PDB file of all heavy atoms in Angstrom:
ATOM      1  N   LEU A 186       0.340 -46.290  47.634  1.00 94.00           N
ATOM      2  CA  LEU A 186       0.208 -46.051  49.056  1.00 94.00           C
ATOM      3  C   LEU A 186       0.994 -47.100  49.871  1.00 94.00           C
ATOM      4  O   LEU A 186       1.518 -48.072  49.279  1.00 94.00           O
ATOM      5  CB  LEU A 186      -1.273 -46.101  49.465  1.00 94.00           C
ATOM      6  CG  LEU A 186      -2.223 -45.167  48.683  1.00 94.00           C
ATOM      7  CD1 LEU A 186      -3.633 -45.505  48.959  1.00 94.00           C
ATOM      8  CD2 LEU A 186      -1.927 -43.716  49.037  1.00 94.00           C
ATOM      9  N   PHE A 187       1.059 -46.902  51.151  1.00 92.00           N
ATOM     10  CA  PHE A 187       1.704 -47.866  52.042  1.00 92.00           C
ATOM     11  C   PHE A 187       0.925 -49.171  52.083  1.00 92.00           C
ATOM     12  O   PHE A 187      -0.279 -49.201  51.918  1.00 92.00           O
ATOM     13  CB  PHE A 187       1.855 -47.319  53.451  1.00 92.00           C
ATOM     14  CG  PHE A 187       2.890 -46.232  53.602  1.00 92.00           C
ATOM     15  CD1 PHE A 187       2.671 -45.143  54.395  1.00 92.00           C
ATOM     16  CD2 PHE A 187       4.125 -46.336  52.936  1.00 92.00           C
ATOM     17  CE1 PHE A 187       3.628 -44.135  54.538  1.00 92.00           C
ATOM     18  CE2 PHE A 187       5.096 -45.340  53.092  1.00 92.00           C
ATOM     19  CZ  PHE A 187       4.841 -44.265  53.875  1.00 92.00           C
ATOM     20  N   LYS A 188       1.636 -50.248  52.412  1.00 92.00           N
ATOM     21  CA  LYS A 188       0.970 -51.570  52.637  1.00 92.00           C
ATOM     22  C   LYS A 188       0.438 -51.614  54.078  1.00 92.00           C
ATOM     23  O   LYS A 188       0.850 -52.424  54.901  1.00 92.00           O
ATOM     24  CB  LYS A 188       1.936 -52.707  52.389  1.00 92.00           C
ATOM     25  CG  LYS A 188       2.378 -52.806  50.943  1.00 92.00           C
ATOM     26  CD  LYS A 188       3.312 -53.994  50.759  1.00 92.00           C
ATOM     27  CE  LYS A 188       3.749 -54.084  49.305  1.00 92.00           C
ATOM     28  NZ  LYS A 188       4.690 -55.225  49.106  1.00 92.00           N
ATOM     29  N   ARG A 189      -0.535 -50.744  54.358  1.00 91.00           N
ATOM     30  CA  ARG A 189      -1.118 -50.699  55.711  1.00 91.00           C
ATOM     31  C   ARG A 189      -1.866 -51.973  56.059  1.00 91.00           C
ATOM     32  O   ARG A 189      -2.004 -52.325  57.233  1.00 91.00           O
ATOM     33  CB  ARG A 189      -2.010 -49.523  55.853  1.00 91.00           C
ATOM     34  CG  ARG A 189      -1.311 -48.179  55.814  1.00 91.00           C
ATOM     35  CD  ARG A 189      -2.290 -47.018  56.028  1.00 91.00           C
ATOM     36  NE  ARG A 189      -1.633 -45.754  56.113  1.00 91.00           N
ATOM     37  CZ  ARG A 189      -1.374 -44.985  55.047  1.00 91.00           C
ATOM     38  NH1 ARG A 189      -1.705 -45.422  53.827  1.00 91.00           N
ATOM     39  NH2 ARG A 189      -0.740 -43.838  55.184  1.00 91.00           N
ATOM     40  N   TYR A 190      -2.309 -52.674  55.058  1.00 91.00           N
ATOM     41  CA  TYR A 190      -3.052 -53.911  55.275  1.00 91.00           C
ATOM     42  C   TYR A 190      -2.124 -55.083  55.654  1.00 91.00           C
ATOM     43  O   TYR A 190      -2.600 -56.142  56.040  1.00 91.00           O
ATOM     44  CB  TYR A 190      -3.848 -54.303  54.006  1.00 91.00           C
ATOM     45  CG  TYR A 190      -2.950 -54.421  52.787  1.00 91.00           C
ATOM     46  CD1 TYR A 190      -2.384 -55.617  52.428  1.00 91.00           C
ATOM     47  CD2 TYR A 190      -2.706 -53.327  52.000  1.00 91.00           C
ATOM     48  CE1 TYR A 190      -1.583 -55.740  51.339  1.00 91.00           C
ATOM     49  CE2 TYR A 190      -1.909 -53.415  50.879  1.00 91.00           C
ATOM     50  CZ  TYR A 190      -1.338 -54.626  50.555  1.00 91.00           C
ATOM     51  OH  TYR A 190      -0.527 -54.748  49.435  1.00 91.00           O
ATOM     52  N   ASN A 191      -0.818 -54.862  55.560  1.00 90.00           N
ATOM     53  CA  ASN A 191       0.143 -55.898  55.927  1.00 90.00           C
ATOM     54  C   ASN A 191       1.273 -55.268  56.708  1.00 90.00           C
ATOM     55  O   ASN A 191       2.355 -54.965  56.157  1.00 90.00           O
ATOM     56  CB  ASN A 191       0.696 -56.570  54.661  1.00 90.00           C
ATOM     57  CG  ASN A 191       1.415 -57.872  54.967  1.00 90.00           C
ATOM     58  OD1 ASN A 191       1.797 -58.119  56.104  1.00 90.00           O
ATOM     59  ND2 ASN A 191       1.618 -58.707  53.958  1.00 90.00           N
ATOM     60  N   PRO A 192       1.090 -54.978  58.011  1.00 88.00           N
ATOM     61  CA  PRO A 192       2.083 -54.236  58.771  1.00 88.00           C
ATOM     62  C   PRO A 192       3.446 -54.931  58.869  1.00 88.00           C
ATOM     63  O   PRO A 192       4.470 -54.260  58.908  1.00 88.00           O
ATOM     64  CB  PRO A 192       1.433 -54.080  60.140  1.00 88.00           C
ATOM     65  CG  PRO A 192      -0.019 -54.359  59.945  1.00 88.00           C
ATOM     66  CD  PRO A 192      -0.095 -55.283  58.802  1.00 88.00           C
ATOM     67  N   MET A 193       3.463 -56.267  58.884  1.00 89.00           N
ATOM     68  CA  MET A 193       4.700 -56.988  59.006  1.00 89.00           C
ATOM     69  C   MET A 193       5.586 -56.750  57.754  1.00 89.00           C
ATOM     70  O   MET A 193       6.759 -56.486  57.868  1.00 89.00           O
ATOM     71  CB  MET A 193       4.458 -58.465  59.220  1.00 89.00           C
ATOM     72  CG  MET A 193       3.748 -58.805  60.543  1.00 89.00           C
ATOM     73  SD  MET A 193       3.463 -60.556  60.779  1.00 89.00           S
ATOM     74  CE  MET A 193       5.147 -61.157  60.869  1.00 89.00           C
ATOM     75  N   THR A 194       4.983 -56.869  56.589  1.00 89.00           N
ATOM     76  CA  THR A 194       5.738 -56.613  55.366  1.00 89.00           C
ATOM     77  C   THR A 194       6.188 -55.168  55.281  1.00 89.00           C
ATOM     78  O   THR A 194       7.354 -54.886  54.862  1.00 89.00           O
ATOM     79  CB  THR A 194       4.849 -56.925  54.143  1.00 89.00           C
ATOM     80  OG1 THR A 194       4.389 -58.280  54.237  1.00 89.00           O
ATOM     81  CG2 THR A 194       5.636 -56.768  52.853  1.00 89.00           C
ATOM     82  N   LEU A 195       5.355 -54.232  55.693  1.00 89.00           N
ATOM     83  CA  LEU A 195       5.755 -52.825  55.665  1.00 89.00           C
ATOM     84  C   LEU A 195       6.936 -52.564  56.629  1.00 89.00           C
ATOM     85  O   LEU A 195       7.876 -51.849  56.279  1.00 89.00           O
ATOM     86  CB  LEU A 195       4.553 -51.970  56.093  1.00 89.00           C
ATOM     87  CG  LEU A 195       4.744 -50.439  56.120  1.00 89.00           C
ATOM     88  CD1 LEU A 195       5.132 -49.926  54.767  1.00 89.00           C
ATOM     89  CD2 LEU A 195       3.490 -49.757  56.646  1.00 89.00           C
ATOM     90  N   ALA A 196       6.911 -53.169  57.782  1.00 89.00           N
ATOM     91  CA  ALA A 196       7.991 -52.974  58.742  1.00 89.00           C
ATOM     92  C   ALA A 196       9.317 -53.590  58.230  1.00 89.00           C
ATOM     93  O   ALA A 196      10.387 -52.972  58.348  1.00 89.00           O
ATOM     94  CB  ALA A 196       7.644 -53.578  60.094  1.00 89.00           C
ATOM     95  N   ILE A 197       9.222 -54.774  57.590  1.00 91.00           N
ATOM     96  CA  ILE A 197      10.428 -55.425  57.047  1.00 91.00           C
ATOM     97  C   ILE A 197      11.019 -54.551  55.934  1.00 91.00           C
ATOM     98  O   ILE A 197      12.256 -54.409  55.858  1.00 91.00           O
ATOM     99  CB  ILE A 197      10.110 -56.836  56.563  1.00 91.00           C
ATOM    100  CG1 ILE A 197       9.771 -57.743  57.746  1.00 91.00           C
ATOM    101  CG2 ILE A 197      11.217 -57.439  55.754  1.00 91.00           C
ATOM    102  CD1 ILE A 197       9.222 -59.114  57.379  1.00 91.00           C
ATOM    103  N   GLU A 198      10.202 -54.034  55.048  1.00 89.00           N
ATOM    104  CA  GLU A 198      10.695 -53.190  53.970  1.00 89.00           C
ATOM    105  C   GLU A 198      11.381 -51.942  54.470  1.00 89.00           C
ATOM    106  O   GLU A 198      12.412 -51.518  53.982  1.00 89.00           O
ATOM    107  CB  GLU A 198       9.561 -52.848  53.004  1.00 89.00           C
ATOM    108  CG  GLU A 198       9.037 -53.990  52.183  1.00 89.00           C
ATOM    109  CD  GLU A 198       7.902 -53.622  51.283  1.00 89.00           C
ATOM    110  OE1 GLU A 198       7.433 -52.444  51.415  1.00 89.00           O
ATOM    111  OE2 GLU A 198       7.455 -54.454  50.474  1.00 89.00           O
ATOM    112  N   MET A 199      10.815 -51.349  55.513  1.00 89.00           N
ATOM    113  CA  MET A 199      11.430 -50.137  56.101  1.00 89.00           C
ATOM    114  C   MET A 199      12.785 -50.445  56.751  1.00 89.00           C
ATOM    115  O   MET A 199      13.760 -49.728  56.584  1.00 89.00           O
ATOM    116  CB  MET A 199      10.488 -49.539  57.121  1.00 89.00           C
ATOM    117  CG  MET A 199       9.273 -48.837  56.524  1.00 89.00           C
ATOM    118  SD  MET A 199       8.268 -48.038  57.780  1.00 89.00           S
ATOM    119  CE  MET A 199       7.064 -47.156  56.746  1.00 89.00           C
ATOM    120  N   ILE A 200      12.838 -51.589  57.427  1.00 91.00           N
ATOM    121  CA  ILE A 200      14.081 -51.947  58.100  1.00 91.00           C
ATOM    122  C   ILE A 200      15.183 -52.273  57.059  1.00 91.00           C
ATOM    123  O   ILE A 200      16.348 -51.845  57.173  1.00 91.00           O
ATOM    124  CB  ILE A 200      13.886 -53.141  59.055  1.00 91.00           C
ATOM    125  CG1 ILE A 200      12.984 -52.707  60.230  1.00 91.00           C
ATOM    126  CG2 ILE A 200      15.177 -53.677  59.594  1.00 91.00           C
ATOM    127  CD1 ILE A 200      12.474 -53.862  61.076  1.00 91.00           C
ATOM    128  N   LEU A 201      14.814 -53.028  56.001  1.00 90.00           N
ATOM    129  CA  LEU A 201      15.813 -53.365  54.996  1.00 90.00           C
ATOM    130  C   LEU A 201      16.283 -52.165  54.232  1.00 90.00           C
ATOM    131  O   LEU A 201      17.466 -52.046  53.882  1.00 90.00           O
ATOM    132  CB  LEU A 201      15.205 -54.411  54.000  1.00 90.00           C
ATOM    133  CG  LEU A 201      14.955 -55.798  54.585  1.00 90.00           C
ATOM    134  CD1 LEU A 201      14.274 -56.696  53.551  1.00 90.00           C
ATOM    135  CD2 LEU A 201      16.237 -56.446  55.030  1.00 90.00           C
ATOM    136  N   SER A 202      15.381 -51.196  53.962  1.00 86.00           N
ATOM    137  CA  SER A 202      15.795 -49.980  53.271  1.00 86.00           C
ATOM    138  C   SER A 202      16.734 -49.143  54.113  1.00 86.00           C
ATOM    139  O   SER A 202      17.507 -48.346  53.584  1.00 86.00           O
ATOM    140  CB  SER A 202      14.556 -49.183  52.898  1.00 86.00           C
ATOM    141  OG  SER A 202      13.884 -48.710  54.080  1.00 86.00           O
ATOM    142  N   PHE A 203      16.684 -49.300  55.435  1.00 86.00           N
ATOM    143  CA  PHE A 203      17.587 -48.530  56.329  1.00 86.00           C
ATOM    144  C   PHE A 203      19.001 -49.090  56.260  1.00 86.00           C
ATOM    145  O   PHE A 203      19.928 -48.316  56.376  1.00 86.00           O
ATOM    146  CB  PHE A 203      17.024 -48.621  57.756  1.00 86.00           C
ATOM    147  CG  PHE A 203      17.841 -47.833  58.755  1.00 86.00           C
ATOM    148  CD1 PHE A 203      17.775 -46.461  58.792  1.00 86.00           C
ATOM    149  CD2 PHE A 203      18.711 -48.490  59.595  1.00 86.00           C
ATOM    150  CE1 PHE A 203      18.539 -45.758  59.730  1.00 86.00           C
ATOM    151  CE2 PHE A 203      19.493 -47.800  60.481  1.00 86.00           C
ATOM    152  CZ  PHE A 203      19.372 -46.433  60.573  1.00 86.00           C
ATOM    153  N   PHE A 204      19.134 -50.418  56.034  1.00 87.00           N
ATOM    154  CA  PHE A 204      20.421 -51.035  56.030  1.00 87.00           C
ATOM    155  C   PHE A 204      21.036 -51.170  54.623  1.00 87.00           C
ATOM    156  O   PHE A 204      22.265 -51.246  54.485  1.00 87.00           O
ATOM    157  CB  PHE A 204      20.368 -52.406  56.731  1.00 87.00           C
ATOM    158  CG  PHE A 204      20.172 -52.325  58.183  1.00 87.00           C
ATOM    159  CD1 PHE A 204      18.922 -52.587  58.750  1.00 87.00           C
ATOM    160  CD2 PHE A 204      21.193 -52.024  59.046  1.00 87.00           C
ATOM    161  CE1 PHE A 204      18.723 -52.526  60.115  1.00 87.00           C
ATOM    162  CE2 PHE A 204      21.040 -51.953  60.416  1.00 87.00           C
ATOM    163  CZ  PHE A 204      19.777 -52.203  60.925  1.00 87.00           C
ATOM    164  N   PHE A 205      20.209 -51.281  53.590  1.00 85.00           N
ATOM    165  CA  PHE A 205      20.690 -51.547  52.227  1.00 85.00           C
ATOM    166  C   PHE A 205      20.219 -50.369  51.322  1.00 85.00           C
ATOM    167  O   PHE A 205      19.010 -50.060  51.290  1.00 85.00           O
ATOM    168  CB  PHE A 205      20.135 -52.852  51.663  1.00 85.00           C
ATOM    169  CG  PHE A 205      20.520 -54.032  52.539  1.00 85.00           C
ATOM    170  CD1 PHE A 205      19.604 -54.588  53.419  1.00 85.00           C
ATOM    171  CD2 PHE A 205      21.774 -54.601  52.438  1.00 85.00           C
ATOM    172  CE1 PHE A 205      19.901 -55.688  54.207  1.00 85.00           C
ATOM    173  CE2 PHE A 205      22.134 -55.700  53.233  1.00 85.00           C
ATOM    174  CZ  PHE A 205      21.194 -56.244  54.102  1.00 85.00           C
ATOM    175  N   GLU A 206      21.189 -49.789  50.585  1.00 78.00           N
ATOM    176  CA  GLU A 206      20.847 -48.684  49.685  1.00 78.00           C
ATOM    177  C   GLU A 206      20.056 -49.165  48.485  1.00 78.00           C
ATOM    178  O   GLU A 206      19.286 -48.392  47.894  1.00 78.00           O
ATOM    179  CB  GLU A 206      22.130 -47.996  49.223  1.00 78.00           C
ATOM    180  CG  GLU A 206      22.837 -47.192  50.319  1.00 78.00           C
ATOM    181  CD  GLU A 206      23.987 -46.417  49.756  1.00 78.00           C
ATOM    182  OE1 GLU A 206      24.220 -46.520  48.522  1.00 78.00           O
ATOM    183  OE2 GLU A 206      24.674 -45.762  50.549  1.00 78.00           O
ATOM    184  N   SER A 207      20.251 -50.438  48.100  1.00 77.00           N
ATOM    185  CA  SER A 207      19.547 -50.950  46.920  1.00 77.00           C
ATOM    186  C   SER A 207      18.057 -51.115  47.177  1.00 77.00           C
ATOM    187  O   SER A 207      17.270 -51.165  46.229  1.00 77.00           O
ATOM    188  CB  SER A 207      20.142 -52.287  46.494  1.00 77.00           C
ATOM    189  OG  SER A 207      20.073 -53.222  47.579  1.00 77.00           O
ATOM    190  N   MET A 208      17.646 -51.192  48.451  1.00 81.00           N
ATOM    191  CA  MET A 208      16.215 -51.355  48.820  1.00 81.00           C
ATOM    192  C   MET A 208      15.642 -49.954  48.998  1.00 81.00           C
ATOM    193  O   MET A 208      16.113 -49.175  49.788  1.00 81.00           O
ATOM    194  CB  MET A 208      16.074 -52.165  50.067  1.00 81.00           C
ATOM    195  CG  MET A 208      16.445 -53.616  49.946  1.00 81.00           C
ATOM    196  SD  MET A 208      15.233 -54.576  49.040  1.00 81.00           S
ATOM    197  CE  MET A 208      13.838 -54.463  50.135  1.00 81.00           C
ATOM    198  N   ARG A 209      14.603 -49.649  48.202  1.00 83.00           N
ATOM    199  CA  ARG A 209      13.936 -48.364  48.307  1.00 83.00           C
ATOM    200  C   ARG A 209      12.984 -48.353  49.491  1.00 83.00           C
ATOM    201  O   ARG A 209      12.245 -49.328  49.716  1.00 83.00           O
ATOM    202  CB  ARG A 209      13.173 -48.057  47.039  1.00 83.00           C
ATOM    203  CG  ARG A 209      14.063 -47.706  45.851  1.00 83.00           C
ATOM    204  CD  ARG A 209      13.221 -47.391  44.607  1.00 83.00           C
ATOM    205  NE  ARG A 209      12.354 -46.278  44.826  1.00 83.00           N
ATOM    206  CZ  ARG A 209      11.407 -45.850  43.988  1.00 83.00           C
ATOM    207  NH1 ARG A 209      11.297 -46.504  42.847  1.00 83.00           N
ATOM    208  NH2 ARG A 209      10.656 -44.852  44.267  1.00 83.00           N
ATOM    209  N   ALA A 210      12.991 -47.283  50.245  1.00 85.00           N
ATOM    210  CA  ALA A 210      12.091 -47.169  51.369  1.00 85.00           C
ATOM    211  C   ALA A 210      10.640 -47.016  50.876  1.00 85.00           C
ATOM    212  O   ALA A 210      10.426 -46.343  49.851  1.00 85.00           O
ATOM    213  CB  ALA A 210      12.469 -46.001  52.229  1.00 85.00           C
ATOM    214  N   PRO A 211       9.692 -47.612  51.515  1.00 88.00           N
ATOM    215  CA  PRO A 211       8.275 -47.442  51.078  1.00 88.00           C
ATOM    216  C   PRO A 211       7.872 -45.955  51.165  1.00 88.00           C
ATOM    217  O   PRO A 211       8.244 -45.238  52.089  1.00 88.00           O
ATOM    218  CB  PRO A 211       7.484 -48.287  52.086  1.00 88.00           C
ATOM    219  CG  PRO A 211       8.476 -49.247  52.658  1.00 88.00           C
ATOM    220  CD  PRO A 211       9.787 -48.538  52.633  1.00 88.00           C
TER     221      PRO A 211
END
Side-chain angles (χ1 to χ4, degrees):
L186 306 169
F187 286 140
K188 294 181 180 179
R189 292 184 175 87
Y190 56 91
N191 195 343
M193 295 180 65
T194 304
L195 180 61
I197 290 171
E198 289 179 355
M199 287 184 173
I200 293 170
L201 291 177
S202 65
F203 182 77
F204 289 102
F205 302 100
E206 290 186 2
S207 58
M208 292 285 296
R209 289 180 59 186

